[in-house]
C-alpha cells in the first residue's frame, strides 16, 4: 500500500514532532548516507555529522496515514536503517497508532548501534482494515554524549499481498405466482456488494456467478405480472433465491 525511498523531491505527507519542550527539529532528508541511490531521512546536524546541539534531542518523524485493506495478507512494516547512539540513553523507538495518535503502541526500542545499514521488519497483521501512522521517535534522554552518528531511515514500506476474495453464485427460478409456471420473459436485476442485471433462461432459471460475499436483493419484473423481490446472503457458499411474480 505504501513505499517511500525519499529519492524524489515530493513529500508524501511526512511530518515531525517535538516533545517535552525540545526545540531541535533534526529529522530531514539527507544525501549524507542512504540505502538507495540518493537520499534517506536522518535525525542529525549536517554541519557536524552528529546530533549534538548541547540539548536533549526528543523528536519524531511521523509517516503519512496508510490504510491497510482487510484483504491484505502478510501485512508488514519494513524499512532500512542505520543508527548509532549512546547505549542505554539514546533510544530509537518505533511506534504505531491506528486512532490518529490518541494511543501509540511500541513496536521496538533499541539503543546503541553499530552504524551499519540493516533491516527493520514487523508484522502488521493486527492492523488490517485500519488506517495507521508510524512514528520513528529518537530520544537521547539527556544532553550529554550526543556525538554519535544518529539514526538514518530509508526504503520505508507498508506492504502485503492481496488475498484472493472468494466468489459465489446466486441462482434461482422466476415463476408465476399461483400456477408455479416458469416465466421466461422476466427482467432480472440485483443489488448488494455489487449491482447488475441477469438474463432469465427459457425454463425461468437464472444464475449470477462471481459475486463477492455479502447480502443481496434480487428483483424480477415481466409484462403482465407484479414485481417480485427476494433476498439472499452469500457468506460461505452459493445461495438460491426463487422469485414468484
Amino acid at each position: 500500500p505504501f513505499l517511500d525511498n525519499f529519492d524524489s523531491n515530493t513529500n508524501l505527507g511526512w511530518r515531525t514532532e517535538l516533545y517535552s519542550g525540545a526545540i531541535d527539529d533534526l529529522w530531514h532528508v539527507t544525501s549524507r548516507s542512504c540505502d538507495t541511490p540518493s537520499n534517506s531521512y536522518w535525525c542529525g546536524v549536517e554541519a557536524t555529522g552528529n546530533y549534538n546541539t548541547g540539548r536533549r534531542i526528543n523528536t519524531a518523524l511521523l509517516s503519512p496515514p496508510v490504510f491497510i485493506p482487510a484483504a491484505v495478507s502478510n501485512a508488514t512494516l519494513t524499512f532500512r536503517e542505520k543508527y548509532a547512539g549512546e547505549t542505554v540513553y539514546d533510544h530509537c523507538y518505533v511506534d504505531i497508532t491506528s486512532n490518529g495518535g490518541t494511543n501509540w503502541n511500541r513496536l521496538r526500542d533499541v539503543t546503541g548501534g553499530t552504524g551499519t545499514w540493516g533491516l527493520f521488519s514487523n508484522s502488521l497483521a493486527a492492523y488490517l482494515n485500519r488506517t495507521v501512522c508510524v512514528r520513528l521517535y529518537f530520544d537521547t534522554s539527556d544532553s550529554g554524549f550526543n556525538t554519535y552518528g544518529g539514526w538514518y531511515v530509508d526504503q520505508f514500506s507498508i506492504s502485503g499481498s492481496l488475498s484472493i476474495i472468494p466468489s459465489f453464485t446466486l441462482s434461482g427460478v422466476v415463476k408465476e405466482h399461483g400456477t408455479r409456471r416458469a416465466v421466461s420473459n422476466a427482467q432480472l436485476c440485483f443489488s448488494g456488494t455489487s449491482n447488475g442485471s441477469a438474463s432469465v433462461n427459457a425454463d425461468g432459471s437464472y444464475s449470477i456467478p462471481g459475486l463477492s460475499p455479502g447480502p443481496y436483493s434480487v428483483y424480477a419484473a415481466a409484462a403482465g405480472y407484479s414485481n417480485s423481490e427476494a433476498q439472499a446472503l452469500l457468506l460461505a457458499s452459493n445461495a438460491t433465491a426463487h422469485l414468484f411474480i
Side-chain angles (χ1 to χ4, degrees):
F2 181 80
L3 170 65
D4 196 351
N5 60 15
F6 313 119
D7 287 341
S8 71
N9 292 322
T10 302
N11 186 335
L12 299 182
W14 295 88
R15 60 188 179 90
T16 58
E17 288 185 345
L18 294 166
Y19 307 109
S20 302
I23 63 173
D24 298 301
D25 188 5
L26 300 187
W27 282 104
H28 66 286
V29 175
T30 184
S31 59
R32 175 180 288 273
S33 180
C34 57
D35 194 59
T36 48
S38 302
N39 299 322
S40 66
Y41 249 104
W42 176 46
C43 188
V45 180
E46 289 288 344
T48 59
N50 57 48
Y51 47 93
N52 184 26
T53 65
R55 294 174 291 271
R56 173 186 177 182
I57 305 302
N58 196 9
T59 182
L61 175 67
L62 279 68
S63 77
V66 178
F67 177 70
I68 306 176
V72 168
S73 61
N74 302 318
T76 307
L77 164 66
T78 61
F79 57 83
R80 302 286 295 176
E81 64 177 341
K82 182 174 77 169
Y83 58 89
E86 185 183 7
T87 302
V88 178
Y89 293 95
D90 297 351
H91 296 266
C92 298
Y93 299 117
V94 180
D95 302 328
I96 189 170
T97 182
S98 60
N99 57 13
T102 301
N103 304 102
W104 291 93
N105 297 322
R106 184 135 296 160
L107 304 179
R108 199 273 308 272
D109 173 15
V110 296
T111 63
T114 61
T116 58
W117 284 98
L119 176 68
F120 172 85
S121 179
N122 196 98
S123 171
L124 298 183
Y127 295 92
L128 298 184
N129 204 34
R130 299 184 187 182
T131 298
V132 302
C133 173
V134 175
R135 179 173 68 178
L136 307 174
Y137 180 7
F138 188 55
D139 182 9
T140 64
S141 302
D142 57 30
S143 60
F145 300 97
N146 288 349
T147 55
Y148 295 87
W151 192 7
Y152 294 83
V153 174
D154 205 349
Q155 300 272 51
F156 184 97
S157 172
I158 294 176
S159 62
S161 302
L162 283 175
S163 302
I164 297 175
I165 301 175
S167 63
F168 302 107
T169 297
L170 177 61
S171 60
V173 179
V174 181
K175 296 182 178 182
E176 185 179 274
H177 187 74
T179 67
R180 297 299 193 266
R181 290 183 298 188
V183 179
S184 60
N185 65 334
Q187 301 295 317
L188 200 71
C189 62
F190 62 92
S191 63
T193 307
S194 56
N195 306 312
S197 60
S199 59
V200 177
N201 300 318
D203 61 356
S205 66
Y206 71 91
S207 180
I208 310 170
L211 296 179
S212 300
Y216 287 86
S217 294
V218 188
Y219 308 89
Y225 294 93
S226 300
N227 297 343
S228 179
E229 176 184 350
Q231 283 80 38
L233 183 62
L234 303 178
L235 287 181
S237 63
N238 299 329
T240 301
H242 300 308
L243 297 107
F244 300 93
I245 62 176

